């Protein structure tokens, strides 16, 4: 940065911020795979000359697929669902309480990660499980809204 700043007669911070801004512009545009028109609209507000706008557009068009593939490689590999086992346990009495009902749901979640299988054991009471189910159903319902559909479509 210091060498380039000396050549351009500007501060090193200015060069660093310029590179960071350009990197951000290209990565975010590539993530969303925005069209030529949307990219031009994005850079129009920056006040660049027409020649620089054309160069930025060409840079984006030439490199967006490669940037997208690099971003895909950098993304963390999250585990995926394989199967689920569950069991309902009910404690009906104990030494101190002769009549009690204490239900518990035990879930064994099998996951695939990098061709390896792992298992996670979770235990909860039925009311917490019902709340979790309601929250997941609400999230699935939100995925059907137009706003979320637009976001998902742009992510592909």
């Amino acid at each position: 940065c210091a060498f380039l700043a000396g050549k351009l007669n500007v501060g090193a911070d200015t060069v660093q911020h310029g590179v960071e801004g350009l990197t951000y512009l290209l990565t975010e545009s590539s993530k969303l795979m925005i069209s030529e028109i949307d990219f031009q609209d994005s850079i129009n507000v920056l006040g660049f000359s027409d020649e620089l706008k054309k160069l930025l557009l060409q840079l984006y068009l030439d490199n967006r697929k490669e940037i997208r593939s690099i971003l895909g490689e950098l993304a963390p590999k999250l585990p995926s669902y394989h199967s689920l086992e569950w069991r309902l346990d009910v404690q009906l009495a104990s030494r101190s309480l002769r009549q009690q009902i204490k239900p518990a749901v035990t879930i064994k979640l099998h996951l695939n990660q990098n061709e390896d299988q792992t298992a996670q054991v979770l235990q909860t009471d039925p009311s917490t499980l019902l709340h979790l189910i309601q929250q997941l159903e609400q999230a699935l319902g939100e995925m059907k809204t137009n706003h979320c559909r637009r976001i998902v479509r742009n992510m592909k």
Side-chain angles (χ1 to χ4, degrees):
C1 277
F3 174 74
L4 189 55
K7 287 280 192 182
L8 297 173
N9 293 326
V10 294
D13 288 342
T14 304
V15 172
Q16 181 178 349
H17 293 305
V19 170
E20 289 171 356
L22 183 60
T23 303
Y24 181 79
L25 174 69
L26 293 174
T27 55
E28 291 302 311
S29 299
S30 298
K31 275 184 199 176
L32 300 173
M33 285 298 283
I34 63 175
S35 66
E36 267 184 63
I37 295 168
D38 290 337
F39 186 82
Q40 287 174 335
D41 289 344
S42 299
I43 60 175
N44 274 340
V45 298
L46 300 175
F48 294 141
S49 67
D50 289 340
E51 184 181 334
L52 184 55
K53 289 178 192 176
K54 287 178 186 175
L55 287 172
L56 286 174
L57 176 63
Q58 195 58 48
L59 181 68
Y60 168 66
L61 294 174
D62 291 345
N63 295 300
R64 66 180 168 183
K65 289 181 181 175
E66 184 178 351
I67 292 170
R68 194 166 170 83
S69 68
I70 291 170
L71 290 173
E73 291 172 10
L74 295 176
K77 304 294 183 225
L78 299 174
S80 62
Y81 172 81
H82 177 58
S83 65
L84 178 89
E85 299 174 46
W86 63 275
R87 181 179 73 214
L88 177 64
D89 296 320
V90 180
Q91 182 178 351
L92 299 174
S94 66
R95 289 184 187 187
S96 58
L97 293 172
R98 294 194 183 264
Q99 291 185 349
Q100 72 173 359
I101 297 177
K102 188 177 176 186
V105 178
T106 305
I107 301 169
K108 188 173 187 181
L109 184 61
H110 297 273
L111 304 170
N112 291 332
Q113 186 170 17
N114 300 333
E115 299 177 14
D116 295 329
Q117 234 184 39
T118 60
Q120 298 289 325
V121 178
L122 312 164
Q123 189 171 37
T124 185
D125 60 294
S127 62
T128 304
L129 184 59
L130 285 174
H131 179 70
L132 179 62
I133 290 169
Q134 289 171 349
Q135 292 297 310
L136 290 172
E137 286 175 347
Q138 181 182 354
L140 284 173
E142 287 179 16
M143 283 300 297
K144 294 178 182 177
T145 63
N146 288 335
H147 179 69
C148 285
R149 285 182 183 170
R150 250 190 328 268
I151 291 171
V152 170
R153 188 173 51 243
N154 286 330
M155 287 173 51
K156 289 181 180 180

